[in-house]
Amino acid sequence: MGGVVASQEYELQLQLALLRTVAAVLRSEPNANLEPIHREILAVDSSINALPSQERPILTLASRLGWSPIETDFVWVTVALATEPRMLVHARALDTSASQGMSISLYSRIAYLDAAASQALGRAMQVDRPLPRSGLVVSVPGIWLPTSAPWSPVPQLLDYLLEEEQTERFPVGMTLTVPPFSIVLDDAQRDALATIHSTLQCAGMLLVLHGAEGSGRRSAIAQASERPILTLDISRLDGSQTALDHGLTTLFREASLRNAIAVIVAPEELSGDAQDVRLRQLGQRIDESGTPVVVITKAHGIDVRSMRPTIRVAWNTPSVEARLTLWRELAGDFDSIDHSELAQRYRIGAGAVVKAVASARSITAKGLVDALTTAEIIAGVRHNTEDGEPQPAEHAHRKQHQQGVEPFPHPHCLRIRD
């Protein structure tokens, strides 16, 4: 259920927007008596200001995204036009295109703005400014002057304003990861984590994290940011420009609402002569976003075509000692598990270990306190490999040699998606 204060403000803001729109219509009529409606406007506005500010979702969102008071008010009036049917009747008397959405010019009449305030709002609604970059209000496609372009809210914004429960179901390719309680790191990873943490403090930076699949790259980002991370895996999209654009738009919008880090995995899927246009599309969307952005790749030195200042961080697989601790903590310190064998055999990080253990418990129908065996965990690991089965040691070694990369220290090491 939505919060009581959030619901109260929602109703009051819609009522306020309706009253202000009626007042704007009356101002165009000769000898109209505006005093009664002005009293109603002041009463509703007073009720809104009396609500506890810490329980008003819009104020939290506006503070986090850098919206000015006039931009915040524009959002409310835009929401009202989209959700209050009575308002449209009066808004169309002011602007015949009101059925398309809220324009800057229409809002200026409703809010009775002076020249300076109107011009400030016009600048605030340019594509490079915080409100449009959030993706929470969208401009209707068409040929419009900037001041006449209609804007409308996305449904997710309405859910947020009412504090409705946000669904954890995301479009194909997108997942939500919450920060782990702790992760085991070696010295090199601790140094990398410090750089990741400092980079994520600035929303205008781009962090490119290079490392092997299964090495714990997403877990590291979540740990460094201490915030949820929303991940879009490009390799899971259908390969079209439309799918990529939809995925990126959704990613950045949801990241804005959830105060999350936007993470893009596998940009190397977009490289190549035939698909280079999608790589440029990725860079453009990153530049337009107002949220911190991390790109995770296994391709060293990839250029994602972004104009943002970029920090590149190498993320190595955990050392044997760190992997040993990981297996003990995440699989359980049971005598039935040869933690040393697992640490030597699999060069994987926390995320891959968690998946392997979860798969092992599912296969064996064992609970969280039940002891697993080494063989059961190995089966869990195999279910999370890229092809479902480990390659024979000699085949894996030969393939790595042919590709010009160093073979893993242990012949049975597997690459596992993190």
Side-chain angles (χ1 to χ4, degrees), residues 26 48 52 56 64 70 122 137 164 174 196 212 215 225 228 245 256 271 278 281 283 323 360 364:
L26 290 176
I48 293 173
R56 296 170 60 185
R64 176 154 47 82
I70 194 171
V137 293
E164 299 285 354
M174 192 176 301
I196 295 171
S215 59
S225 66
D245 192 65
S256 295
S271 60
R278 291 191 297 150
Q281 182 182 7
R323 299 200 297 270
T364 59

Side-chain angles (χ1 to χ4, degrees), residues 3 88 161 377:
L88 178 60
L161 294 175
I377 292 178

Side-chain angles (χ1 to χ4, degrees), residues 331 334 336-337 356-357 360-361 364 366 370-374 376-377:
F334 301 112
S336 56
I337 301 176
V357 172
R361 293 196 179 281
T364 59
K366 289 185 175 181
D370 297 326
L372 293 168
T373 66
T374 303
E376 290 168 346
I377 292 178

Side-chain angles (χ1 to χ4, degrees), residues 1 31 75 107 110 126 169 196 266 296 335 344 346 368 378 393 410:
M1 296 296 292
N31 303 318
V75 170
Y107 171 79
I110 292 172
Q126 297 296 312
R169 298 180 62 184
I196 295 171
I296 292 180
D335 293 338
Q344 290 284 347
Y346 302 115
L368 295 177
I378 289 174
H410 193 281

Side-chain angles (χ1 to χ4, degrees), residues 253-406:
R253 182 194 66 219
E254 294 292 338
S256 295
L257 280 176
R258 297 169 184 266
N259 193 24
I261 304 296
V263 178
I264 301 165
V265 178
E268 59 270 15
E269 295 283 332
L270 307 178
S271 60
D273 293 340
Q275 299 152 321
D276 194 55
V277 63
R278 291 191 297 150
L279 197 58
R280 293 194 299 271
Q281 182 182 7
L282 171 63
Q284 180 180 349
R285 285 300 187 188
I286 290 174
D287 293 342
E288 293 173 351
S289 169
T291 63
V293 180
V294 179
V295 170
I296 292 180
T297 178
K298 59 183 179 181
H300 181 71
I302 188 171
D303 180 7
V304 296
R305 309 295 177 86
S306 171
M307 297 299 293
R308 285 192 179 197
T310 302
I311 299 294
R312 296 180 181 273
V313 177
W315 184 258
N316 63 289
T317 54
S319 65
V320 175
E321 293 77 11
R323 299 200 297 270
L324 179 60
T325 304
L326 273 175
W327 282 111
R328 289 189 183 280
E329 289 189 358
L330 300 177
D333 195 9
F334 301 112
D335 293 338
S336 56
I337 301 176
D338 189 339
H339 301 89
S340 180
E341 178 187 350
L342 294 172
Q344 290 284 347
R345 186 169 182 174
Y346 302 115
R347 293 187 65 191
I348 57 178
V353 171
V354 169
K355 287 181 180 179
V357 172
S359 295
R361 293 196 179 281
S362 177
I363 295 168
T364 59
K366 289 185 175 181
L368 295 177
V369 297
D370 297 326
L372 293 168
T373 66
T374 303
E376 290 168 346
I377 292 178
I378 289 174
V381 172
R382 290 176 177 175
H383 279 277
N384 286 277
T385 59
E386 291 183 344
D387 57 3
E389 288 292 335
Q391 296 177 350
E394 61 276 10
H395 174 72
H397 183 95
R398 182 169 59 251
K399 182 178 179 181
Q400 290 164 346
H401 178 72
Q402 291 170 347
Q403 293 177 339
V405 298
E406 287 295 320

